[in-house]
mmCIF file of all heavy atoms in Angstrom:
data_model
loop_
_atom_site.group_PDB
_atom_site.id
_atom_site.type_symbol
_atom_site.label_atom_id
_atom_site.label_comp_id
_atom_site.label_asym_id
_atom_site.label_seq_id
_atom_site.Cartn_x
_atom_site.Cartn_y
_atom_site.Cartn_z
ATOM 1 N N PRO J 18 12.312 4.971 -10.576
ATOM 2 C CA PRO J 18 12.236 4.393 -9.230
ATOM 3 C C PRO J 18 11.339 3.148 -9.160
ATOM 4 O O PRO J 18 11.616 2.225 -8.384
ATOM 5 C CB PRO J 18 11.650 5.525 -8.384
ATOM 6 C CG PRO J 18 12.007 6.771 -9.134
ATOM 7 C CD PRO J 18 11.984 6.389 -10.574
ATOM 8 N N ILE J 19 10.293 3.111 -9.995
ATOM 9 C CA ILE J 19 9.420 1.928 -10.000
ATOM 10 C C ILE J 19 10.204 0.709 -10.494
ATOM 11 O O ILE J 19 10.064 -0.395 -9.951
ATOM 12 C CB ILE J 19 8.167 2.185 -10.872
ATOM 13 C CG1 ILE J 19 7.290 3.243 -10.200
ATOM 14 C CG2 ILE J 19 7.383 0.902 -11.115
ATOM 15 C CD1 ILE J 19 6.124 3.723 -11.030
ATOM 16 N N ALA J 20 11.059 0.921 -11.510
ATOM 17 C CA ALA J 20 11.892 -0.187 -12.012
ATOM 18 C C ALA J 20 12.878 -0.650 -10.934
ATOM 19 O O ALA J 20 13.109 -1.855 -10.779
ATOM 20 C CB ALA J 20 12.633 0.246 -13.267
ATOM 21 N N VAL J 21 13.447 0.297 -10.178
ATOM 22 C CA VAL J 21 14.377 -0.064 -9.094
ATOM 23 C C VAL J 21 13.640 -0.882 -8.038
ATOM 24 O O VAL J 21 14.149 -1.922 -7.574
ATOM 25 C CB VAL J 21 15.011 1.206 -8.474
ATOM 26 C CG1 VAL J 21 15.789 0.866 -7.212
ATOM 27 C CG2 VAL J 21 15.909 1.891 -9.492
ATOM 28 N N ILE J 22 12.456 -0.453 -7.655
ATOM 29 C CA ILE J 22 11.665 -1.186 -6.643
ATOM 30 C C ILE J 22 11.310 -2.579 -7.163
ATOM 31 O O ILE J 22 11.376 -3.571 -6.428
ATOM 32 C CB ILE J 22 10.401 -0.382 -6.263
ATOM 33 C CG1 ILE J 22 10.818 0.883 -5.500
ATOM 34 C CG2 ILE J 22 9.443 -1.219 -5.430
ATOM 35 C CD1 ILE J 22 9.704 1.898 -5.324
ATOM 36 N N SER J 23 10.965 -2.666 -8.460
ATOM 37 C CA SER J 23 10.660 -3.976 -9.060
ATOM 38 C C SER J 23 11.869 -4.890 -8.987
ATOM 39 O O SER J 23 11.746 -6.094 -8.720
ATOM 40 C CB SER J 23 10.233 -3.808 -10.521
ATOM 41 O OG SER J 23 9.076 -3.034 -10.610
ATOM 42 N N GLY J 24 13.034 -4.313 -9.257
ATOM 43 C CA GLY J 24 14.269 -5.110 -9.174
ATOM 44 C C GLY J 24 14.498 -5.643 -7.774
ATOM 45 O O GLY J 24 14.926 -6.797 -7.599
ATOM 46 N N LEU J 25 14.209 -4.841 -6.778
ATOM 47 C CA LEU J 25 14.392 -5.274 -5.387
ATOM 48 C C LEU J 25 13.458 -6.429 -5.017
ATOM 49 O O LEU J 25 13.796 -7.265 -4.178
ATOM 50 C CB LEU J 25 14.184 -4.099 -4.428
ATOM 51 C CG LEU J 25 15.241 -2.987 -4.504
ATOM 52 C CD1 LEU J 25 14.834 -1.804 -3.624
ATOM 53 C CD2 LEU J 25 16.618 -3.509 -4.105
ATOM 54 N N THR J 26 12.302 -6.469 -5.647
ATOM 55 C CA THR J 26 11.347 -7.539 -5.313
ATOM 56 C C THR J 26 11.745 -8.894 -5.907
ATOM 57 O O THR J 26 11.262 -9.925 -5.452
ATOM 58 C CB THR J 26 9.925 -7.185 -5.804
ATOM 59 O OG1 THR J 26 9.944 -7.047 -7.223
ATOM 60 C CG2 THR J 26 9.411 -5.928 -5.147
ATOM 61 N N VAL J 27 12.622 -8.883 -6.936
ATOM 62 C CA VAL J 27 13.017 -10.159 -7.561
ATOM 63 C C VAL J 27 14.457 -10.561 -7.242
ATOM 64 O O VAL J 27 14.977 -11.505 -7.842
ATOM 65 C CB VAL J 27 12.825 -10.094 -9.100
ATOM 66 C CG1 VAL J 27 11.376 -9.926 -9.455
ATOM 67 C CG2 VAL J 27 13.690 -9.034 -9.728
ATOM 68 N N ILE J 28 15.086 -9.871 -6.312
ATOM 69 C CA ILE J 28 16.504 -10.146 -6.020
ATOM 70 C C ILE J 28 16.737 -11.582 -5.580
ATOM 71 O O ILE J 28 17.744 -12.194 -5.923
ATOM 72 C CB ILE J 28 17.065 -9.140 -4.988
ATOM 73 C CG1 ILE J 28 18.588 -9.254 -4.945
ATOM 74 C CG2 ILE J 28 16.452 -9.342 -3.619
ATOM 75 C CD1 ILE J 28 19.259 -8.149 -4.179
ATOM 76 N N THR J 29 15.790 -12.156 -4.844
ATOM 77 C CA THR J 29 15.976 -13.530 -4.368
ATOM 78 C C THR J 29 15.695 -14.554 -5.461
ATOM 79 O O THR J 29 16.153 -15.692 -5.374
ATOM 80 C CB THR J 29 15.044 -13.812 -3.170
ATOM 81 O OG1 THR J 29 13.702 -13.558 -3.578
ATOM 82 C CG2 THR J 29 15.407 -12.951 -1.984
ATOM 83 N N LYS J 30 14.994 -14.202 -6.504
ATOM 84 C CA LYS J 30 14.626 -15.152 -7.563
ATOM 85 C C LYS J 30 15.616 -15.133 -8.723
ATOM 86 O O LYS J 30 15.914 -16.176 -9.306
ATOM 87 C CB LYS J 30 13.230 -14.836 -8.076
ATOM 88 C CG LYS J 30 12.168 -15.021 -7.011
ATOM 89 C CD LYS J 30 10.812 -14.654 -7.523
ATOM 90 C CE LYS J 30 9.815 -14.760 -6.374
ATOM 91 N NZ LYS J 30 8.565 -14.172 -6.649
ATOM 92 N N SER J 31 16.101 -13.909 -9.087
ATOM 93 C CA SER J 31 16.997 -13.828 -10.243
ATOM 94 C C SER J 31 17.883 -12.591 -10.122
ATOM 95 O O SER J 31 17.412 -11.462 -10.256
ATOM 96 C CB SER J 31 16.178 -13.764 -11.527
ATOM 97 O OG SER J 31 17.014 -13.563 -12.640
ATOM 98 N N VAL J 32 19.162 -12.823 -9.912
ATOM 99 C CA VAL J 32 20.122 -11.728 -9.767
ATOM 100 C C VAL J 32 20.278 -10.953 -11.075
ATOM 101 O O VAL J 32 20.321 -9.723 -11.065
ATOM 102 C CB VAL J 32 21.476 -12.240 -9.234
ATOM 103 C CG1 VAL J 32 22.528 -11.137 -9.218
ATOM 104 C CG2 VAL J 32 21.314 -12.823 -7.836
ATOM 105 N N PRO J 33 20.344 -11.615 -12.258
ATOM 106 C CA PRO J 33 20.446 -10.843 -13.504
ATOM 107 C C PRO J 33 19.246 -9.914 -13.733
ATOM 108 O O PRO J 33 19.408 -8.775 -14.190
ATOM 109 C CB PRO J 33 20.524 -11.921 -14.599
ATOM 110 C CG PRO J 33 21.039 -13.136 -13.917
ATOM 111 C CD PRO J 33 20.514 -13.058 -12.516
ATOM 112 N N VAL J 34 18.040 -10.405 -13.417
ATOM 113 C CA VAL J 34 16.845 -9.554 -13.566
ATOM 114 C C VAL J 34 16.932 -8.381 -12.590
ATOM 115 O O VAL J 34 16.578 -7.243 -12.932
ATOM 116 C CB VAL J 34 15.546 -10.371 -13.354
ATOM 117 C CG1 VAL J 34 14.320 -9.465 -13.301
ATOM 118 C CG2 VAL J 34 15.383 -11.424 -14.437
ATOM 119 N N PHE J 35 17.423 -8.644 -11.383
ATOM 120 C CA PHE J 35 17.598 -7.576 -10.392
ATOM 121 C C PHE J 35 18.503 -6.476 -10.940
ATOM 122 O O PHE J 35 18.159 -5.290 -10.922
ATOM 123 C CB PHE J 35 18.173 -8.162 -9.098
ATOM 124 C CG PHE J 35 18.779 -7.137 -8.177
ATOM 125 C CD1 PHE J 35 17.975 -6.290 -7.442
ATOM 126 C CD2 PHE J 35 20.168 -7.016 -8.064
ATOM 127 C CE1 PHE J 35 18.538 -5.335 -6.584
ATOM 128 C CE2 PHE J 35 20.730 -6.072 -7.219
ATOM 129 C CZ PHE J 35 19.919 -5.229 -6.482
ATOM 130 N N PHE J 36 19.694 -6.865 -11.459
ATOM 131 C CA PHE J 36 20.630 -5.867 -11.993
ATOM 132 C C PHE J 36 20.064 -5.144 -13.221
ATOM 133 O O PHE J 36 20.281 -3.947 -13.409
ATOM 134 C CB PHE J 36 21.991 -6.509 -12.311
ATOM 135 C CG PHE J 36 22.831 -6.750 -11.083
ATOM 136 C CD1 PHE J 36 23.221 -8.039 -10.734
ATOM 137 C CD2 PHE J 36 23.209 -5.686 -10.265
ATOM 138 C CE1 PHE J 36 23.984 -8.253 -9.597
ATOM 139 C CE2 PHE J 36 23.978 -5.902 -9.135
ATOM 140 C CZ PHE J 36 24.358 -7.193 -8.797
ATOM 141 N N THR J 37 19.337 -5.882 -14.050
ATOM 142 C CA THR J 37 18.721 -5.268 -15.241
ATOM 143 C C THR J 37 17.706 -4.207 -14.823
ATOM 144 O O THR J 37 17.697 -3.082 -15.358
ATOM 145 C CB THR J 37 18.034 -6.345 -16.109
ATOM 146 O OG1 THR J 37 19.001 -7.319 -16.485
ATOM 147 C CG2 THR J 37 17.407 -5.723 -17.350
ATOM 148 N N CYS J 38 16.857 -4.549 -13.862
ATOM 149 C CA CYS J 38 15.835 -3.587 -13.392
ATOM 150 C C CYS J 38 16.486 -2.369 -12.736
ATOM 151 O O CYS J 38 16.060 -1.231 -12.980
ATOM 152 C CB CYS J 38 14.876 -4.270 -12.418
ATOM 153 S SG CYS J 38 13.761 -5.430 -13.190
ATOM 154 N N ILE J 39 17.507 -2.599 -11.916
ATOM 155 C CA ILE J 39 18.192 -1.491 -11.240
ATOM 156 C C ILE J 39 18.844 -0.578 -12.283
ATOM 157 O O ILE J 39 18.719 0.652 -12.243
ATOM 158 C CB ILE J 39 19.255 -2.016 -10.243
ATOM 159 C CG1 ILE J 39 18.608 -2.802 -9.105
ATOM 160 C CG2 ILE J 39 20.106 -0.876 -9.683
ATOM 161 C CD1 ILE J 39 17.799 -1.987 -8.142
ATOM 162 N N GLY J 40 19.566 -1.191 -13.227
ATOM 163 C CA GLY J 40 20.227 -0.411 -14.272
ATOM 164 C C GLY J 40 19.242 0.385 -15.104
ATOM 165 O O GLY J 40 19.438 1.590 -15.361
ATOM 166 N N MET J 41 18.171 -0.274 -15.537
ATOM 167 C CA MET J 41 17.152 0.425 -16.333
ATOM 168 C C MET J 41 16.497 1.549 -15.524
ATOM 169 O O MET J 41 16.194 2.616 -16.058
ATOM 170 C CB MET J 41 16.087 -0.564 -16.817
ATOM 171 C CG MET J 41 16.577 -1.510 -17.894
ATOM 172 S SD MET J 41 17.206 -0.664 -19.356
ATOM 173 C CE MET J 41 15.742 0.107 -19.976
ATOM 174 N N GLY J 42 16.298 1.300 -14.240
ATOM 175 C CA GLY J 42 15.694 2.332 -13.377
ATOM 176 C C GLY J 42 16.555 3.584 -13.295
ATOM 177 O O GLY J 42 16.059 4.705 -13.434
ATOM 178 N N PHE J 43 17.867 3.376 -13.101
ATOM 179 C CA PHE J 43 18.768 4.532 -13.020
ATOM 180 C C PHE J 43 18.886 5.251 -14.362
ATOM 181 O O PHE J 43 18.927 6.473 -14.433
ATOM 182 C CB PHE J 43 20.152 4.104 -12.519
ATOM 183 C CG PHE J 43 20.182 3.783 -11.048
ATOM 184 C CD1 PHE J 43 20.823 2.644 -10.577
ATOM 185 C CD2 PHE J 43 19.560 4.613 -10.131
ATOM 186 C CE1 PHE J 43 20.857 2.351 -9.220
ATOM 187 C CE2 PHE J 43 19.595 4.334 -8.769
ATOM 188 C CZ PHE J 43 20.234 3.197 -8.320
ATOM 189 N N ILE J 44 18.937 4.471 -15.449
ATOM 190 C CA ILE J 44 19.016 5.086 -16.784
ATOM 191 C C ILE J 44 17.756 5.910 -17.066
ATOM 192 O O ILE J 44 17.838 7.059 -17.517
ATOM 193 C CB ILE J 44 19.226 4.001 -17.872
ATOM 194 C CG1 ILE J 44 20.634 3.440 -17.772
ATOM 195 C CG2 ILE J 44 18.975 4.578 -19.264
ATOM 196 C CD1 ILE J 44 20.872 2.204 -18.623
ATOM 197 N N LEU J 45 16.589 5.317 -16.798
ATOM 198 C CA LEU J 45 15.335 6.046 -17.020
ATOM 199 C C LEU J 45 15.279 7.335 -16.213
ATOM 200 O O LEU J 45 14.900 8.390 -16.726
ATOM 201 C CB LEU J 45 14.127 5.170 -16.656
ATOM 202 C CG LEU J 45 13.689 4.139 -17.687
ATOM 203 C CD1 LEU J 45 12.618 3.231 -17.095
ATOM 204 C CD2 LEU J 45 13.154 4.827 -18.933
ATOM 205 N N THR J 46 15.663 7.235 -14.954
ATOM 206 C CA THR J 46 15.621 8.425 -14.093
ATOM 207 C C THR J 46 16.582 9.494 -14.592
ATOM 208 O O THR J 46 16.219 10.674 -14.709
ATOM 209 C CB THR J 46 15.968 8.054 -12.635
ATOM 210 O OG1 THR J 46 15.050 7.048 -12.185
ATOM 211 C CG2 THR J 46 15.866 9.254 -11.720
ATOM 212 N N GLY J 47 17.807 9.113 -14.912
ATOM 213 C CA GLY J 47 18.809 10.082 -15.374
ATOM 214 C C GLY J 47 18.432 10.723 -16.701
ATOM 215 O O GLY J 47 18.454 11.952 -16.849
ATOM 216 N N VAL J 48 18.086 9.884 -17.675
ATOM 217 C CA VAL J 48 17.724 10.410 -18.997
ATOM 218 C C VAL J 48 16.454 11.256 -18.902
ATOM 219 O O VAL J 48 16.360 12.338 -19.492
ATOM 220 C CB VAL J 48 17.555 9.251 -20.015
ATOM 221 C CG1 VAL J 48 16.920 9.740 -21.308
ATOM 222 C CG2 VAL J 48 18.888 8.598 -20.288
ATOM 223 N N GLY J 49 15.473 10.766 -18.147
ATOM 224 C CA GLY J 49 14.215 11.511 -17.995
ATOM 225 C C GLY J 49 14.420 12.861 -17.331
ATOM 226 O O GLY J 49 13.869 13.871 -17.772
ATOM 227 N N ALA J 50 15.253 12.905 -16.275
ATOM 228 C CA ALA J 50 15.506 14.172 -15.578
ATOM 229 C C ALA J 50 16.246 15.156 -16.481
ATOM 230 O O ALA J 50 15.894 16.344 -16.550
ATOM 231 C CB ALA J 50 16.304 13.922 -14.304
ATOM 232 N N ALA J 51 17.250 14.673 -17.209
ATOM 233 C CA ALA J 51 17.998 15.558 -18.113
ATOM 234 C C ALA J 51 17.093 16.080 -19.230
ATOM 235 O O ALA J 51 17.110 17.267 -19.562
ATOM 236 C CB ALA J 51 19.193 14.811 -18.707
ATOM 237 N N ALA J 52 16.275 15.192 -19.806
ATOM 238 C CA ALA J 52 15.370 15.600 -20.878
ATOM 239 C C ALA J 52 14.312 16.580 -20.364
ATOM 240 O O ALA J 52 13.994 17.575 -21.029
ATOM 241 C CB ALA J 52 14.699 14.375 -21.492
ATOM 242 N N ALA J 53 13.777 16.315 -19.178
ATOM 243 C CA ALA J 53 12.751 17.206 -18.620
ATOM 244 C C ALA J 53 13.320 18.602 -18.381
ATOM 245 O O ALA J 53 12.678 19.608 -18.707
ATOM 246 C CB ALA J 53 12.201 16.629 -17.313
ATOM 247 N N TYR J 54 14.535 18.676 -17.846
ATOM 248 C CA TYR J 54 15.158 19.976 -17.602
ATOM 249 C C TYR J 54 15.435 20.706 -18.916
ATOM 250 O O TYR J 54 15.163 21.897 -19.063
ATOM 251 C CB TYR J 54 16.443 19.821 -16.787
ATOM 252 C CG TYR J 54 17.092 21.142 -16.471
ATOM 253 C CD1 TYR J 54 16.497 22.020 -15.567
ATOM 254 C CD2 TYR J 54 18.279 21.522 -17.080
ATOM 255 C CE1 TYR J 54 17.077 23.243 -15.279
ATOM 256 C CE2 TYR J 54 18.868 22.746 -16.797
ATOM 257 C CZ TYR J 54 18.263 23.603 -15.896
ATOM 258 O OH TYR J 54 18.837 24.813 -15.620
ATOM 259 N N GLY J 55 15.974 19.983 -19.896
ATOM 260 C CA GLY J 55 16.246 20.582 -21.200
ATOM 261 C C GLY J 55 14.970 21.079 -21.866
ATOM 262 O O GLY J 55 14.935 22.182 -22.436
ATOM 263 N N LEU J 56 13.904 20.295 -21.790
ATOM 264 C CA LEU J 56 12.626 20.705 -22.389
ATOM 265 C C LEU J 56 12.023 21.889 -21.651
ATOM 266 O O LEU J 56 11.394 22.753 -22.260
ATOM 267 C CB LEU J 56 11.655 19.519 -22.408
ATOM 268 C CG LEU J 56 11.975 18.464 -23.460
ATOM 269 C CD1 LEU J 56 11.235 17.175 -23.167
ATOM 270 C CD2 LEU J 56 11.632 18.974 -24.851
ATOM 271 N N TYR J 57 12.217 21.933 -20.332
ATOM 272 C CA TYR J 57 11.728 23.086 -19.563
ATOM 273 C C TYR J 57 12.424 24.364 -20.041
ATOM 274 O O TYR J 57 11.774 25.385 -20.266
ATOM 275 C CB TYR J 57 11.982 22.850 -18.072
ATOM 276 C CG TYR J 57 11.707 24.056 -17.216
ATOM 277 C CD1 TYR J 57 10.398 24.427 -16.911
ATOM 278 C CD2 TYR J 57 12.745 24.841 -16.720
ATOM 279 C CE1 TYR J 57 10.140 25.540 -16.136
ATOM 280 C CE2 TYR J 57 12.491 25.950 -15.943
ATOM 281 C CZ TYR J 57 11.188 26.295 -15.652
ATOM 282 O OH TYR J 57 10.934 27.407 -14.881
ATOM 283 N N LEU J 58 13.736 24.299 -20.230
ATOM 284 C CA LEU J 58 14.479 25.472 -20.728
ATOM 285 C C LEU J 58 14.035 25.836 -22.145
ATOM 286 O O LEU J 58 13.860 27.018 -22.465
ATOM 287 C CB LEU J 58 15.985 25.204 -20.707
ATOM 288 C CG LEU J 58 16.621 25.021 -19.322
ATOM 289 C CD1 LEU J 58 18.095 24.685 -19.462
ATOM 290 C CD2 LEU J 58 16.423 26.260 -18.461
#
C-alpha cells in the first residue's frame, strides 16, 4: 500500500512511474499476503 500511495503522489509528474509503483504495490501485497498465510500454516 505504501508503494501504491507513492505512485499516486507522482501521477502528475510521470505516468510510467505511477504505473510502476501501482503495479509493484499490488504485487508486493499479493505475494506478501500469500506467503504470510502459507508460512502461518
Side-chain angles (χ1 to χ4, degrees):
I19 292 172
V21 171
I22 292 168
S23 299
L25 293 173
T26 62
V27 296
I28 192 169
T29 57
K30 296 178 184 167
S31 175
V32 174
V34 172
F35 162 74
F36 283 119
T37 302
C38 288
I39 296 291
M41 289 302 294
F43 286 135
I44 289 170
L45 280 172
T46 303
V48 169
Y54 182 70
L56 286 164
Y57 171 76
L58 294 177

